[in-house]
């Protein structure tokens, strides 16, 4: 699982102070600071392959793909404190939220690649955060099972499983029309 960086809650201001002085990648969720696990070789390969395919698909379109480490500051609503996450890949179509150091807003699509130690964090915590924030599509890539699950927001603002593939076949996007990925290519 993602390890707590500190056992007590802190403000987003305190988080940014720590972040400026730390070499570690840190996420900020519900007042707690988490340190994502180290990335495996398989994780890096899958991330690179998906990045290349997304970048190629988005060429000439108004959206851009960004890869970790890149901070995304999500605001669920005005009453909640910001949540700062570092997704493996983010497709951003609304360019108004860019700053020099991060993106403030809601990506259109987010991809998280599981590692053995962070499955619950990505499958439960982040799925709920992304859904509440209005991320239109969330891909969960599981290198251990060679599977990809795609969730997309329905009209009620809840995630529905759009597609799931294991081992072979093509996984498709609902939001990026015509975008599909051959599982053999990303897992070999």
């Amino acid at each position: 699982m993602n390890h707590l960086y500190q056992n007590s809650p802190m403000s987003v201001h305190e988080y940014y102070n720590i972040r400026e002085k730390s070499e570690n990648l840190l996420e900020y969720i519900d007042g707690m600071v988490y340190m994502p696990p180290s990335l495996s070789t398989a994780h890096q390969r899958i991330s690179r392959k998906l990045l290349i395919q997304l970048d190629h698909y988005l060429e000439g379109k108004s959206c851009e793909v960004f890869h970790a480490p890149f901070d995304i500051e999500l605001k669920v609503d005005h009453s909640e404190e910001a949540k700062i996450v570092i997704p493996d890949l983010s497709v951003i179509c609304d360019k108004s939220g860019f700053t020099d150091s991060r993106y403030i807003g809601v990506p259109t699509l987010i991809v998280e690649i599981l590692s053995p130690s962070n499955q619950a964090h990505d499958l439960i915590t982040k799925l709920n955060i992304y859904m509440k924030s209005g991320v239109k599509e969330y891909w969960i890539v599981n290198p251990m099972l060679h599977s990809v699950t795609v969730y997309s927001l329905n009209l009620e603002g809840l995630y529905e499983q759009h597609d799931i593939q294991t081992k072979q076949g093509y996984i498709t996007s609902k939001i990026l029309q015509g975008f599909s990925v051959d599982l053999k290519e990303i897992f070999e």
Side-chain angles (χ1 to χ4, degrees):
M1 69 180 232
N2 284 27
H3 300 288
L4 276 175
Y5 182 78
Q6 188 171 311
N7 282 325
S8 56
M10 66 177 65
S11 71
V12 72
H13 180 71
E14 290 171 305
Y15 161 80
Y16 279 121
N17 284 339
I18 288 172
R19 186 69 202 266
E20 279 177 25
K21 298 171 190 143
S22 175
E23 293 294 312
N24 295 315
L25 297 179
L26 301 172
E27 295 183 313
Y28 180 78
I29 299 170
D30 297 329
M32 302 301 284
V33 177
Y34 296 88
M35 200 163 54
S38 296
L39 305 179
S40 68
T41 302
H43 184 289
Q44 291 288 66
R45 283 184 179 133
I46 292 165
S47 180
R48 184 189 76 244
K49 289 174 182 180
L50 282 172
L51 173 68
I52 289 167
Q53 291 198 28
L54 280 164
D55 197 47
H56 179 71
Y57 170 83
L58 294 170
E59 204 169 292
K61 296 179 175 65
S62 62
C63 303
E64 278 184 274
V65 61
F66 288 82
H67 62 88
F70 185 65
D71 289 1
I72 306 287
E73 183 177 321
L74 298 166
K75 289 201 186 245
V76 178
D77 63 43
H78 296 295
S79 64
E80 284 196 40
E81 200 160 32
K83 295 175 186 335
I84 295 119
V85 292
I86 308 170
D88 291 309
L89 296 166
S90 305
V91 173
I92 296 172
C93 299
D94 173 8
K95 309 254 174 113
S96 65
F98 285 110
T99 71
D100 287 342
S101 59
R102 66 186 181 277
Y103 178 75
I104 302 168
V106 180
T108 299
L109 184 151
I110 284 179
V111 177
E112 294 283 9
I113 301 164
L114 301 180
S115 27
S117 63
N118 77 339
Q119 290 184 59
H121 191 66
D122 287 346
L123 290 169
I124 299 165
T125 308
K126 284 190 170 178
L127 182 137
N128 284 312
I129 289 168
Y130 296 158
M131 181 175 69
K132 286 179 186 172
S133 300
V135 175
K136 291 180 182 165
E137 194 164 284
Y138 179 36
W139 288 37
I140 298 175
V141 180
N142 188 329
M144 292 75 72
L145 299 177
H146 286 211
S147 72
V148 179
T149 307
V150 176
Y151 294 95
S152 61
L153 280 182
N154 64 19
L155 296 174
E156 287 81 44
L158 301 173
Y159 275 147
E160 286 180 350
Q161 190 174 292
H162 166 69
D163 198 359
I164 182 168
Q165 294 292 330
T166 302
K167 306 265 190 233
Q168 59 186 359
Y170 285 83
I171 195 81
T172 62
S173 171
K174 184 172 185 177
I175 199 81
L176 302 178
Q177 292 300 309
F179 180 71
S180 65
V181 175
D182 185 346
L183 260 62
K184 279 186 186 171
E185 283 183 26
I186 65 164
F187 289 119
E188 65 182 25

